[in-house]
Amino acid sequence: MIPVTAADLGIEFGDASGHGFYKWLLASFLIGKRIRSSAAIEAYRNLVDQHGLDTPEKLAHCPHRDLVRILGQAGYARYDESTAKRLHALGIGVSQELDVQLNTLRKNGIAVSSFREWLLAFDGVGPKTLEIFMREAAAMLEHRSTGES
């Protein structure tokens, strides 16, 4: 199977909203689970495109029951409760820290490895999710850590 890319989902890291990293992290989180990739993609599209959860703040404020319903509609029936809980926590953590993490990369030139460790601290973000996310985000993160635009 051909890997899904950020471009496949209409995600741009340099988009005007500044939420490209969040959107790709959300997609990577869903794709990295032991579930059909078509269900993960449908869940992403349901969350972001249909229900407008296009920022971490919106995800953080989405009621648990709504996340469960949205995930269930996409085929996450077996994992909807646990995934909804983890998505809520991801939304909270990313809304509080993503900008800080990205700015620290840009201003202080911290190692991308520190950013990876931060991501792995989230429940439900494991090596597979990190691998998917970094496959496309690494180049943009390296630019930020070297101060390039």
Side-chain angles (χ1 to χ4, degrees):
M1 185 174 136
I2 298 171
V4 176
T5 66
D8 293 338
L9 299 174
I11 299 169
E12 296 180 25
F13 292 108
D15 71 354
S17 72
H19 293 293
F21 279 100
Y22 156 74
K23 290 177 184 177
W24 182 238
L25 178 59
L26 176 60
S28 299
F29 180 93
L30 295 165
I31 295 165
K33 302 297 170 250
R34 291 181 182 207
I35 193 162
R36 294 179 333 275
S37 62
S38 60
I41 292 166
E42 185 175 344
Y44 173 81
R45 292 195 188 285
N46 286 352
L47 289 164
V48 174
D49 299 336
Q50 291 183 356
H51 295 279
L53 301 178
D54 57 351
T55 69
E57 294 80 13
K58 290 177 184 177
L59 180 63
H61 290 99
C62 184
H64 178 81
R65 70 182 177 280
D66 291 348
L67 287 175
V68 170
R69 181 180 45 78
I70 294 166
L71 291 167
Q73 290 170 345
Y76 266 80
R78 252 181 83 190
Y79 303 103
D80 55 357
E81 288 285 339
S82 61
T83 302
K85 180 181 174 186
R86 290 175 175 152
L87 281 175
H88 185 256
L90 183 73
I92 292 170
V94 171
S95 70
Q96 293 173 346
E97 302 246 350
L98 182 60
D99 288 340
V100 171
Q101 290 289 328
L102 293 174
N103 284 332
T104 301
L105 267 173
R106 186 176 51 81
K107 290 179 181 175
N108 300 334
I110 65 165
V112 173
S113 62
S114 295
F115 187 82
R116 289 172 186 254
E117 289 174 24
W118 173 70
L119 289 176
L120 287 169
F122 288 104
D123 187 21
V125 175
K128 187 63 176 177
T129 297
L130 185 63
E131 174 190 325
I132 294 166
F133 178 78
M134 293 304 290
R135 182 179 69 220
E136 296 200 32
M140 292 300 295
L141 292 170
E142 288 294 337
H143 286 308
R144 286 180 176 268
S145 70
T146 59
E148 297 173 24
S149 300

